[in-house]
Amino acid sequence: MSFNGTSNYIASDELRLAVNAAITLERPLLIKGEPGTGKTMLAEELAASLGTELIQWHIKSTTKAQQGLYEYDAVSRLRDSQLGDDKVHDIKNYIVKGKLWHAFENTGRPVLLIDEIDKADIEFPNDLLQELDKMEFFVYETRETVKAVQRPIVIITSNNEKELPDAFLRRCFFHYIQFPDQEEMRRIVDVHFPEIKKDLLNQALESFFNLRDIPGLKKKPSTSELIDWLKLLVAEDISPEALREKDSKKAIPPLYGALLKNEQDIHLFEKLVFMARR
């Protein structure tokens, strides 16, 4: 199994090496990077390129590690016992399988995505150490051990909202997705807009990277926001001249609300433009 990118996903040489190294080492691949740089999409395209199933576990602030293994539905069993249902005698009827259980019992070698692990409680990664390391866990209610048929390819994403424990990091292969330079960004855009006018793309990329270079931005526009902006520019038939300015730092690009996502950055941008014009 090896990953070389896909027609829908432009992966750098470093990212391809990281994915293939994690597959070879049979360790989880921990991916960090700015929001919107394609961390989640990597798992989707990896599964598609390998022709295997993608099992997605999207983490929330309330998610517990146990939910990824299984949950015992005691409430349903109590209700069924009150109704005299015969299935109440088999506790297995009330074991709800989690994402890891589904990945472990898969007869192929699935891709398991644990998305945005840093959203959960600080103890969440530690609670999965044994399961991700040994690829097995014990079900206390049924007294059985669930072992992986084949070791899944585990992709873990993080937006760096909080630090992850050292013991967890030691078990992962780590890669940070660097923000694309202009040449790499052109290849990414070409996947989404193969027929975009070159002059429009040149001006849009210049405005985009100038915007990212503004010091003090709370959230720099990401790749996904550039794609949204270009989609609007094409839909509204914005001309390259509308983006062109001798000093592009003195011009507010049209539809800039697709790039800036909070009032602090918008006020900062407008203030800098006003000062530059003066």
Side-chain angles (χ1 to χ4, degrees):
M1 284 183 158
S2 62
F3 177 65
N4 296 304
T6 69
S7 59
N8 296 321
Y9 190 88
I10 305 300
S12 65
D13 292 338
E14 294 80 7
L15 179 56
R16 290 197 297 270
L17 284 171
V19 172
N20 292 323
I23 293 174
T24 301
L25 293 173
E26 295 187 332
R27 289 188 177 275
L29 175 62
L30 175 60
I31 295 288
K32 291 187 179 182
E34 292 183 29
T37 51
K39 300 186 293 297
T40 301
M41 190 178 180
L42 169 65
E44 298 169 355
E45 294 301 318
L46 174 60
S49 70
L50 299 179
T52 190
E53 182 181 353
L54 172 65
I55 298 173
Q56 303 185 60
W57 187 15
H58 298 289
I59 307 303
K60 302 177 181 179
S61 59
T62 56
T63 304
K64 302 299 180 184
Q66 181 64 34
Q67 294 171 319
L69 308 179
Y70 70 94
E71 292 183 276
Y72 169 50
D73 191 354
V75 175
S76 292
R77 193 181 190 196
L78 175 60
R79 182 195 62 217
D80 289 345
S81 68
Q82 293 171 340
L83 296 174
D85 196 320
D86 285 341
K87 72 176 185 179
V88 74
H89 301 295
D90 188 354
I91 197 171
K92 289 184 178 180
N93 292 322
Y94 304 95
I95 299 295
V96 181
K97 297 178 181 180
K99 299 295 185 179
L100 266 71
W101 192 326
H102 286 298
F104 286 3
E105 70 179 4
N106 196 298
T107 54
R109 192 179 182 188
V111 173
L112 171 62
L113 170 64
I114 304 177
D115 199 24
E116 297 188 329
I117 193 172
D118 52 323
K119 282 187 175 180
D121 184 85
I122 188 63
E123 291 302 321
F124 179 91
N126 281 334
D127 291 341
L128 288 177
L129 287 181
Q130 180 75 12
E131 290 74 15
L132 291 178
D133 200 22
K134 301 296 183 182
M135 285 291 153
E136 65 179 47
F137 61 89
F138 186 69
V139 183
Y140 292 94
E141 289 79 4
T142 61
R143 315 302 294 175
E144 65 177 314
T145 299
V146 177
K147 295 184 178 181
V149 178
Q150 290 202 57
R151 195 178 188 98
I153 300 169
V154 182
I155 305 294
I156 302 172
T157 70
S158 170
N159 288 324
N160 230 9
E161 291 184 10
K162 62 171 69 79
E163 290 296 323
L164 300 175
D166 289 343
F168 180 80
L169 295 174
R170 183 170 58 83
R171 289 166 168 81
C172 298
F173 190 92
F174 173 75
H175 181 74
Y176 184 88
I177 297 182
Q178 298 289 344
F179 196 82
D181 58 23
Q182 286 212 30
E183 189 55 41
E184 189 175 356
M185 190 66 81
R186 288 177 189 275
R187 298 201 302 272
I188 293 172
V189 170
D190 187 57
V191 170
H192 299 271
F193 305 102
E195 298 182 3
I196 192 171
K197 296 177 182 178
K198 185 175 293 186
D199 196 16
L200 175 62
L201 177 59
N202 290 339
Q203 293 301 321
L205 286 178
E206 182 179 349
S207 297
F208 174 77
F209 279 98
N210 281 337
L211 188 58
R212 279 185 56 86
D213 287 340
I214 293 176
L217 282 183
K218 186 176 181 180
K219 182 192 179 305
K220 294 183 178 182
S222 67
T223 305
S224 62
E225 286 151 351
L226 171 62
I227 299 302
D228 288 344
W229 188 49
L230 287 172
K231 184 177 181 179
L232 289 173
L233 294 180
V234 172
E236 296 294 330
D237 197 23
I238 302 296
S239 67
E241 288 72 24
L243 304 178
R244 188 176 289 118
E245 168 75 27
K246 291 182 179 179
D247 184 353
S248 57
K249 292 182 180 179
K250 295 183 180 180
I252 299 178
L255 302 167
Y256 67 91
L259 300 174
L260 298 175
K261 297 302 177 72
N262 63 74
E263 58 275 18
Q264 175 182 317
D265 287 347
I266 291 175
H267 292 159
L268 173 63
F269 185 42
E270 291 175 339
K271 182 178 180 181
L272 290 174
V273 168
F274 176 75
M275 293 174 62
R277 284 175 173 170
R278 290 189 62 186

